[in-house]
Every structure is written in structure tokens, then in C-alpha cells.
């Protein structure tokens, strides 16, 4: 269960499977969302997986595993797969669940994004990343202020004592402070957690933030970020301020 | 209490039954706030044209709801019971009730009732500077710029802070609000400008509002 954590959303717009990737086609927008596997029994076949919509990091891993296990449009690989992030070890593992040896192939930066930075040589039943993934960071603490209405208001005073307060805006913001230790700092420094859409968990509550659930997780877009700064004299403890916007 | 004018649908109808008589109140304004609407409802309920005019007297009160930071309204009748349908549920929070002497609603839309209450001070007209101001000169025939400029502050919990942000998101433009001023026992209407928030201790927040009256 999430504790103090920040997770990135990964942008994707499809198409599913191999379309737009094979033969160097440029039809698909590549971010870090596309992964592939080559199985030992069919070394000439690369089976690609790409989500159709943007996904939260942990949801992306789950979809990779589910889709690589399917027949179409992923080319009917022999293997069935599991892919999950271990909160305790802070590592991602991509494995075969039916003893099909394979090797992962990342399109662009996908493998590095999930922490599989070791050299991919031969085939194996399971691949566990040796690095912390850039899509999630377990934090020492997080401070999330209640939402502030981010509306521009022009208050004008006119003769006869009249006043008009014209207002316009489309989002609210949360001021967030992250406290990171050790490899969480490396994850933050990767940039995926400090830009774009993120989810910030304030603790064990896994329901969304609301005016009556102020401890809930915040889903929003990072619109401003401070510098990653050391706390006191401890070189391993870092703090980062974010401004997270939630559209309405 | 702060009752903000919101973009909710304020054009609702409420059936009120006293004894054998049922009459329907229609709130026909497009932009309104909870305080103005419930007062209009009570004025209608107590009007001489009502079938129960001689036997029932209605009134309303409000109270803070700590779990939401909102205000909950209570409609009360003296002289007997009454029944209502759920026509005002979405705005004033009154669920349907039958044969009651009072009904207390859920959180009324657009209302904010922080733990400290809302401090409304210095609500009087001040002469302003500038071309339309009458400050420093005798200018017969010039209307002058003499706005009411009350000072509005409050202290609230994290829930109050979250409630205020949620309520402000529903404000109509221009922003107008009704404020309950305790020491005068009256409602003050203002144009609601920017709101600033700062931590107050470890568990509370201080709110400062830039307001002016009379709101257009």
C-alpha cells in the first residue's frame, strides 16, 4: 500500500502493439511507454507493447504484463508475463510466468525508465532492474497543503460606492514539499516525477483528495518546481518544492 | 459564515405542506447564494398570502459543520408542524421531511463557516483618492468614490481551507458574497476579491480577503 510516494504518469496515445514501431515506422509517438520482448524460441520475432492512453506508472507495468500475454495485436507470444514494482526493494521485475525465457527490449528510454539498466545479453526467465525506476519515488515525507483556488480576480471600485470583482480561472493548486532520502533523490533527479502529470500519496490513504478527504492522494500537473536542496548538513536528505495544479 | 454567489442552478421549486394546504415556492433567480435564497424562502413562508399565515411562523438559522467546513441551515416553524419535499436539496441541503417542526439540511452550497467565524470589521464608507474621490475638497454634484471597504479575516482548519477552495471554484463572476456580521446581527454584501492564505500555527490557516461593497 502506498505510503509517502510520488508516481509519474506516462503519456501514450497508442497505437497498440507493434503498429508504428516495427520497421522504423514513425507513426507512433514514443515517450517511455513502449516495451518489447524477444523470446528464446523465436529470436527473430520482437513483440511490442504500447498503451493506448496515458497511464500511472504502476498501471503501465500491469498493462505491459497483461498485453504481452495476449495474442493480438501483439503477435501471439508464447510466454505469459508479470511485471510489477516492489515497494520494499524499489525495483521493477519483468518475468515470465510459464518458464519462457526472453529478453526485454526497450524502445527509446523505456528500460532505463523502469530501472532495467543492466546489460541485456542472453535470455532469462526474469529481469529485475538494478536501478531505481524514474517513474516512482518512495519518500521520507511529503507535505501537501490543502487546495488553493487559482483564480485571477480583478476587484475594481467605481463611483457611487460600487465594486465589481471579476473572476476567471480553471484550476486549483496544491503546494507540495517532498522529502527524499537516498535513491529517491535519484528518481526525482530523473525529471519524470517533477514534470507533467503526477500522483502524490500523502500516506496510507489510497482515495482521492477532496474537501472532506484532505489526506487523499493528489493527481495533478506540476506547473512549478524548486531546486532539489539538501536539508541541513545531511548530504543524503533532500527537499523539493512543487506546485501541482488540478484542473476543474 | 460566508455565503458565496455560485453558478449552481438556483431556479428550484419547493412544495410546503401545512395541514391540508400545499403551496409551492419558486426560487426564480439565476445567480444566488444560500443566505439570500433561504431568507427569500422564509419571507414567502411568512407572507400574508399563505394558507398557514395565521398559524405558523417560520425562521431559519445556520450552524458550522465541522466535518466539512460548510454551514448547515435549519428551517423551523412555531405553532405546529410542516412538510417539505426535496426541491431545495441540491442548494440549501434540505431533504424531504414530513410532519416536523424543524428540518436541518446538509452542507449548503457556496457556504463557508470556518472554526473562528468570519471577522467583518470596519464596514463603513471611506472617501477615496483620485478623480472621482471627494477626499479633501468640496465638490457639489460629484458623486464621489466612497466605497465600503470592510476588513475580512478568518482562521480555519485544513478542512476549512479545502472547503474554501472548493467553494470559490463554484463562484459566479463577478464574485459576490454575503457575510454574517455577528456584532451587528446583519448580513453584509461584498464584492469578493483575491483571497490569501497563510499557515497559522501547526494546525490552522489564516485567511485574508480583499473585499469591497456595494457589489454590482
Amino acid at each position: 500500500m502506498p505510503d509517502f510516494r510520488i508516481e509519474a504518469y506516462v503519456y501514450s496515445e497508442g497505437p497498440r502493439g507493434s503498429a508504428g514501431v516495427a520497421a522504423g515506422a514513425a507513426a507512433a509517438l514514443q515517450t517511455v511507454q513502449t516495451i518489447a520482448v524477444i523470446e528464446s524460441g523465436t529470436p527473430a520475432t520482437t513483440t511490442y507493447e504500447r498503451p493506448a492512453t496515458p497511464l500511472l506508472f504502476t498501471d503501465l507495468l500491469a498493462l505491459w504484463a497483461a498485453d504481452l500475454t495476449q495474442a493480438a495485436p501483439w503477435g501471439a507470444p508464447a510466454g505469459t508475463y508479470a511485471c510489477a514494482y516492489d515497494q520494499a526493494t524499489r525495483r521493477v521485475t519483468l518475468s515470465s510466468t510459464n518458464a519462457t525465457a526472453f529478453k526485454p527490449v526497450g524502445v527509446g528510454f523505456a528500460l532505463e525508465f523502469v530501472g532495467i539498466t543492466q546489460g541485456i545479453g542472453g535470455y532469462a526467465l526474469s529481469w529485475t532492474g538494478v536501478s531505481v525506476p524514474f517513474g516512482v519515488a518512495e519518500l521520507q515525507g511529503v507535505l501537501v497543503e490543502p487546495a488553493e483556488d487559482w483564480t485571477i480576480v480583478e476587484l475594481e471600485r467605481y463611483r457611487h460606492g460600487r465594486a465589481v470583482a471579476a473572476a476567471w480561472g480553471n484550476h486549483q493548486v496544491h503546494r507540495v514539499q517532498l522529502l527524499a532520502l537516498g535513491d529517491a533523490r535519484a528518481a526525482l533527479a530523473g525529471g519524470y516525477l517533477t514534470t507533467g502529470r503526477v500522483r502524490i500519496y500523502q500516506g496510507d490513504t489510497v482515495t482521492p483528495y477532496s474537501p472532506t478527504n484532505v489526506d487523499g492522494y493528489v493527481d495533478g500537473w506540476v506547473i512549478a518546481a524548486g531546486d532539489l536542496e539538501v536539508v541541513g548538513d545531511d548530504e543524503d536528505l533532500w527537499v523539493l518544492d512543487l506546485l501541482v495544479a488540478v484542473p476543474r | 459564515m460566508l455565503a458565496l454567489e455560485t453558478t449552481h442552478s438556483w431556479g428550484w421549486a419547493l412544495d410546503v405542506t401545512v395541514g391540508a394546504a400545499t403551496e409551492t415556492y419558486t426560487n426564480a433567480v439565476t445567480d444566488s447564494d444560500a443566505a439570500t435564497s433561504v431568507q427569500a424562502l422564509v419571507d414567502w413562508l411568512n407572507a400574508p398570502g399563505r394558507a398557514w399565515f395565521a398559524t405558523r411562523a417560520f425562521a431559519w438559522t445556520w450552524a458550522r459543520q465541522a466535518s466539512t467546513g460548510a454551514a448547515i441551515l435549519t428551517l423551523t416553524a412555531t405553532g405546529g408542524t410542516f412538510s417539505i419535499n426535496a426541491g431545495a436539496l441540491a442548494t440549501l441541503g434540505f431533504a424531504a421531511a414530513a410532519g416536523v417542526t424543524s428540518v436541518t439540511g446538509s452542507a449548503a452550497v457556496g457556504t463557508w463557516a470556518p472554526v473562528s467565524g468570519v471577522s467583518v470589521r470596519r464596514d463603513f464608507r471611506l472617501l477615496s483618492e483620485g478623480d472621482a474621490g471627494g477626499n479633501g475638497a468640496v465638490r457639489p454634484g460629484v458623486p464621489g468614490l466612497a466605497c465600503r471597504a470592510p476588513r475580512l479575516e478568518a482562521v480555519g482548519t485544513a478542512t476549512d481551507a479545502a472547503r474554501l477552495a472548493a467553494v470559490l471554484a463554484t463562484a459566479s463572476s463577478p464574485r459576490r458574497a454575503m457575510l454574517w456580521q455577528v456584532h451587528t446581527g446583519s448580513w453584509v454584501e461584498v464584492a469578493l476579491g483575491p483571497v490569501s492564505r497563510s499557515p497559522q500555527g501547526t494546525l490552522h490557516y489564516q485567511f485574508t480577503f480583499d473585499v469591497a461593497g456595494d457589489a454590482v
Side-chain angles (χ1 to χ4, degrees), chain A residues 143-149 151 153-168 172-173 175 209-212 214 248, chain B residues 67-68 125 132 143-147 158-159 161-162 165-166 168-169 173-175 191-194 197 205 210-216:
Chain A
L143 175 65
V144 178
E145 296 285 344
E148 292 178 57
D149 177 50
T151 296
V153 186
E154 292 290 341
L155 179 60
E156 293 292 339
R157 296 167 173 81
Y158 299 102
R159 65 182 65 213
H160 302 297
R162 295 173 295 182
V164 175
W168 64 96
Q172 59 191 30
V173 300
R175 299 181 191 275
Y209 171 93
S210 75
T212 52
V214 293
R248 355 180 245 257
Chain B
S67 61
T68 62
R125 297 191 182 279
L145 187 68
C147 268
T159 299
L168 290 176
S173 181
R175 294 208 307 203
L192 182 61
R197 185 182 86 192
Y205 295 89
D210 189 6
V211 298
D214 304 294
V216 173

Side-chain angles (χ1 to χ4, degrees), chain B residues 108-121:
Chain B
V109 297
T111 60
W112 185 61
V115 65
S116 74
V118 178
S119 165
V120 185
R121 298 179 291 137

Side-chain angles (χ1 to χ4, degrees), chain B residues 58-59 61 73-78 80-84 94-95 97-105:
Chain B
F58 289 86
T61 58
L73 310 179
T74 299
L75 181 65
T76 304
T78 54
T81 61
F82 68 98
S83 302
I84 60 171
F94 293 135
V100 297
T101 56
S102 74
V103 57
T104 298

Side-chain angles (χ1 to χ4, degrees), chain A residues 85-173:
Chain A
Y85 166 73
D86 187 321
Q87 187 174 14
T89 62
R90 307 185 184 192
R91 297 294 184 270
V92 171
T93 298
L94 176 62
S95 61
S96 166
T97 57
N98 65 346
T100 301
F102 72 101
K103 54 184 175 182
V105 177
V107 177
F109 205 63
L111 286 184
E112 289 80 4
F113 176 69
V114 298
I116 300 177
T117 55
Q118 62 266 41
I120 307 297
Y123 299 93
L125 298 180
S126 175
W127 297 84
T128 297
V130 298
S131 302
V132 65
F134 287 138
V136 63
E138 307 296 336
L139 303 168
Q140 289 300 111
V142 62
L143 175 65
V144 178
E145 296 285 344
E148 292 178 57
D149 177 50
W150 217 242
T151 296
I152 300 173
V153 186
E154 292 290 341
L155 179 60
E156 293 292 339
R157 296 167 173 81
Y158 299 102
R159 65 182 65 213
H160 302 297
R162 295 173 295 182
V164 175
W168 64 96
N170 69 349
H171 62 277
Q172 59 191 30
V173 300

